[in-house]
Amino acid sequence: IHVSTIIERYNGEILIGTSGHGLFSLHTRKGVLEAVQIENLIPSYFINKIYEDKKGALWIVTSDKGIYRIGKDKQVKNYSCNNEMTWLSSLCEDKHGNIYVGSLQNGLFKYDQTTDSFIPITYAPMPNLPIKTLYPTNQEEIYIGTDGNGMKIYDIRENKIREGALHITTFNFDKAKVHAILKDK
């Protein structure tokens, strides 16, 4: 099984997303760890990212069916793939509770609670910025890892994407594939 994402929910439940086998919940039975497939929650077996927001809603990014939000009331809402939101790769939340999703084909999107939809955030130098990962910082920024265009930074206050500030003389970071971003203590 190809595991693509793992999270621990606020209630302690551990969820595992796979590429091809769907969603699993990890349980301990008689001292043995067991992964139990969660069926009929969403109609996709291709899970890219699972995220639980500050309000307790579960967001599931799929390769083939778009994004699913499962509220605390267990209501399921689908934000299907359309011409803009394709090849979804990542999802994050800023400190204000705003949800963002990255696309490998069409850049960055921000969830608008008023319209209950995702709005594109334009990056003029490259409208189809290939986003692989998103990492919210403690400041007013989200680091954006791309698939072949280095790291960019989304400024939350200015609602603008700018170049990352990493410059290494022996390495062209502007063309690097940044598939993971992690901040240490």
Side-chain angles (χ1 to χ4, degrees):
I1 292 181
H2 178 82
V3 174
S4 51
T5 184
I6 300 173
I7 70 157
E8 181 177 359
R9 298 195 67 186
Y10 297 132
N11 66 8
E13 180 184 22
I14 295 175
L15 295 177
I16 302 167
T18 69
S19 181
H21 296 281
L23 193 60
F24 290 81
S25 181
L26 195 60
H27 299 279
T28 304
R29 289 193 191 185
K30 298 179 182 175
V32 177
L33 280 177
E34 178 181 58
V36 178
Q37 189 172 28
I38 301 171
E39 297 188 43
N40 303 322
L41 182 63
I42 62 168
S44 177
Y45 289 103
F46 300 95
I47 313 297
N48 290 342
K49 178 78 174 173
I50 306 169
Y51 181 78
E52 184 175 18
D53 69 21
K54 293 172 182 155
K55 296 176 184 172
L58 194 63
W59 296 82
I60 301 174
V61 178
T62 70
S63 295
D64 58 342
K65 307 279 186 186
I67 302 168
Y68 290 87
R69 183 185 69 209
I70 302 157
K72 289 180 100 176
D73 58 0
K74 305 292 184 210
Q75 290 286 80
V76 178
K77 167 77 179 185
N78 176 240
Y79 304 90
S80 3
C81 289
N82 56 34
N83 291 339
E84 289 183 342
M85 285 183 47
T86 56
W87 292 73
L88 302 174
S89 57
S90 55
L91 187 138
C92 76
E93 180 178 18
D94 69 18
K95 68 181 185 178
H96 306 289
N98 297 307
I99 299 291
Y100 300 86
V101 66
S103 163
L104 277 167
Q105 221 168 13
N106 293 314
L108 185 64
F109 296 83
K110 180 179 179 181
Y111 176 69
D112 182 345
Q113 292 180 16
T114 308
T115 62
D116 193 26
S117 64
F118 284 87
I119 310 299
I121 296 171
T122 312
Y123 178 58
M126 185 176 287
N128 299 327
L129 187 66
I131 296 176
K132 182 65 177 167
T133 190
L134 299 170
Y135 183 86
T137 66
N138 293 336
Q139 295 83 21
E140 296 286 329
E141 299 175 330
I142 295 174
Y143 292 164
I144 300 170
T146 71
D147 192 44
N149 298 95
M151 191 174 87
K152 310 295 182 215
I153 297 171
Y154 172 66
D155 187 310
I156 295 167
R157 285 189 203 126
E158 293 183 21
N159 192 32
K160 185 176 181 182
I161 299 172
R162 58 183 161 79
E163 292 295 317
L166 296 172
H167 301 287
I168 303 168
T169 57
T170 58
F171 181 73
N172 187 352
F173 198 74
D174 292 336
K175 294 183 180 181
K177 291 184 177 191
V178 181
H179 289 193
I181 301 170
L182 179 68
K183 182 179 178 181
D184 65 14
K185 294 179 183 179

